[in-house]
Amino acid sequence: MLPFARITVIGLGLIGSSLCRAIRAEMPTVRVTGHDANPAVRETARRIDLCDDVTDTAGAAVTDADLVILCVPVRAMGAAAAEIADDLPADCIISDVGSCKADVLAQLDAALPGRTIIPAHPVAGTENSGPEAGFATLFKGRWSIVTPPAGADPAAVERVAELWRRVGAQVETMEPAHHDLVLAVTSHLPHLIAYTIVGTASDLENVTQSEVIKYSAGGFRDFTRIAASDPTMWRDVFLANKDAVLEMLQRFSEDLSALQRAIRWNDGDALFNLFTRTRAIRRSIIEQGQDDAKPDFGRSH
Ligand SMILES: NC(=O)c1ccc[n+]([C@@H]2O[C@H](COP(=O)([O-])OP(=O)(O)OC[C@H]3O[C@@H](n4cnc5c(N)ncnc54)[C@H](O)[C@@H]3O)[C@@H](O)[C@H]2O)c1
Ligand SMILES: O=C(O)C(=O)C[C@]1(C(=O)O)C=C[C@@H](O)C=C1
């Protein structure tokens, strides 16, 4: 049985539009309604026929929904939830796709007291944003982490999990705070490092003239893809997941200092041992079939 019959997606950017496409591809009988605060995005959504209906107000989008998924930047979740509060049907489940979970859950709880809120985070994305950047296969073969609050209705959790399985994701359940620590090191810190290194290189550009661009075919180019990610989204993630990111950044800084010492004191063994360990990690990721180093955004595994 389909987990939902009428799904509303609020925020029709990369993730929201991918979800609309995936639901329509995998569950064609489900009615998909969309809304975005930006009129230009609504216009594009209508032009590309993203949903069965695109409404001009958030309230009108949710009046008969059995699931509402908020796909807006994490610090906009509370405002987006407040906008639909008066129009939500009594038994509607509210979910979201935010990249950090504890802060978002607090926002949703405050805006929608007493409602069934089952947050989730599809660990899949690209550096692009907007409704035309999405694609139906984005979630295939990827993880979606469901982070129910304590005491959540298991049947509601299962329905949200089933939605993600239907669009091709593997589902894991985690506590929100644990999710935020794990993702701080696997996703948020790598983005911070990419933003830093590309920023540093561009500051040096006066010294090196065009060499930064000319020789950017190697490792630096991979960093520039990540550092092209959406500024609003990532500003929000770092501020909303501040504690976990600062904790992981502290650990990272200590490890970086150790590496700095190893280079200064010609400690080749320390360098060799670390690089051997990290190479083994990369190889085990590939063996598990999770190689994203060369993203193929149309892949269907
Ligand atoms: N981009 C990724 O790789 C990725 C991956 C997984 C999860 N996420 C999460 O998904 C969410 C959306 O990210 P995205 O990449 O799709 O961003 P995006 O910029 O492509 O789309 C966000 C959309 O939300 C709209 N919006 C903002 N505030 C709104 C409001 N109050 N009401 C209605 N619409 C509003 C914007 O107009 C925009 O169209 C974020 O919470 C992000 O953390 C992103
Ligand atoms: O592949 C990318 O471009 C991504 O950054 C995707 C990525 C990630 O870090 O893995 C980014 C943020 C998300 O919340 C989930 C996925």
Side-chain angles (χ1 to χ4, degrees):
M1 199 177 110
L2 291 171
F4 300 98
R6 294 171 306 282
I7 299 177
T8 293
V9 177
I10 305 277
L12 300 173
L14 170 73
I15 301 298
S17 73
S18 294
L19 202 46
C20 292
R21 289 175 170 97
I23 293 167
R24 291 181 104 189
E26 304 297 335
M27 294 171 277
T29 56
V30 171
R31 184 174 168 78
V32 182
T33 304
H35 169 74
D36 195 287
N38 182 340
V41 172
R42 297 200 295 271
E43 189 52 44
T44 302
R46 288 183 183 118
R47 177 172 52 74
I48 64 178
D49 190 29
L50 194 58
C51 314
D52 296 302
D53 189 17
V54 176
T55 64
D56 283 335
T57 65
V62 304
T63 47
D64 67 349
D66 50 11
L67 173 70
V68 174
I69 309 188
L70 303 174
C71 303
V72 303
V74 289
R75 289 202 311 167
M77 292 286 181
E83 266 193 81
I84 57 173
D86 290 342
D87 295 287
L88 277 175
D91 54 357
C92 181
I93 294 174
I94 297 95
S95 189
D96 76 286
V97 295
S99 301
C100 54
K101 304 313 312 175
D103 181 87
V104 169
L105 180 60
Q107 292 181 53
L108 300 187
D109 264 343
L112 303 170
R115 294 288 189 168
T116 305
I117 298 166
I118 313 289
H121 174 206
V123 188
T126 75
E127 71 279 24
N128 301 316
S129 41
E132 290 178 291
F135 51 97
T137 55
L138 176 62
F139 310 110
K140 283 201 190 293
R142 311 303 295 268
W143 287 103
S144 184
I145 305 174
V146 179
T147 59
D153 172 14
V157 176
E158 174 50 30
R159 286 173 74 192
V160 172
E162 178 60 13
L163 172 86
W164 285 106
R165 286 193 286 267
R166 292 265 181 169
V167 297
Q170 274 181 275
V171 175
E172 186 72 76
T173 307
M174 260 183 217
E175 284 189 3
H178 183 66
H179 166 281
D180 289 353
L181 267 183
V182 172
L183 271 289
V185 74
T186 59
S187 175
H188 307 168
L189 198 55
H191 278 77
L192 199 68
I193 293 165
Y195 282 125
T196 310
I197 196 164
V198 175
T200 304
S202 102
D203 288 346
L204 291 174
E205 210 173 349
N206 284 342
V207 181
T208 62
Q209 281 145 23
S210 64
E211 287 171 339
V212 169
I213 294 160
K214 189 169 164 191
Y215 299 118
S216 75
F220 184 72
R221 201 180 183 86
D222 292 345
F223 280 114
T224 63
R225 184 187 80 77
I226 295 293
S229 299
D230 192 75
T232 303
M233 168 185 160
W234 284 99
R235 175 203 62 197
D236 279 18
V237 169
F238 290 120
L239 296 181
N241 199 26
K242 181 189 281 188
D243 293 345
V245 168
L246 290 178
E247 188 174 329
M248 292 305 162
L249 197 53
Q250 177 64 32
R251 288 286 300 269
F252 176 75
S253 306
E254 287 165 16
D255 291 346
L256 198 59
S257 298
L259 214 53
Q260 210 173 345
R261 275 179 70 83
I263 294 169
R264 186 182 311 286
W265 298 107
N266 296 313
D267 187 349
D269 286 349
L271 298 176
F272 186 84
N273 290 341
L274 174 67
F275 301 160
T276 303
R277 196 152 56 87
T278 57
R279 172 181 260 194
I281 290 168
R282 166 72 185 171
R283 289 184 173 165
S284 82
I285 289 172
I286 293 173
E287 273 162 25
Q288 287 170 36
Q290 292 182 28
D291 176 16
D292 274 336
K294 294 192 175 63
D296 168 11
F297 293 137
R299 70 189 174 284
S300 56
H301 65 273

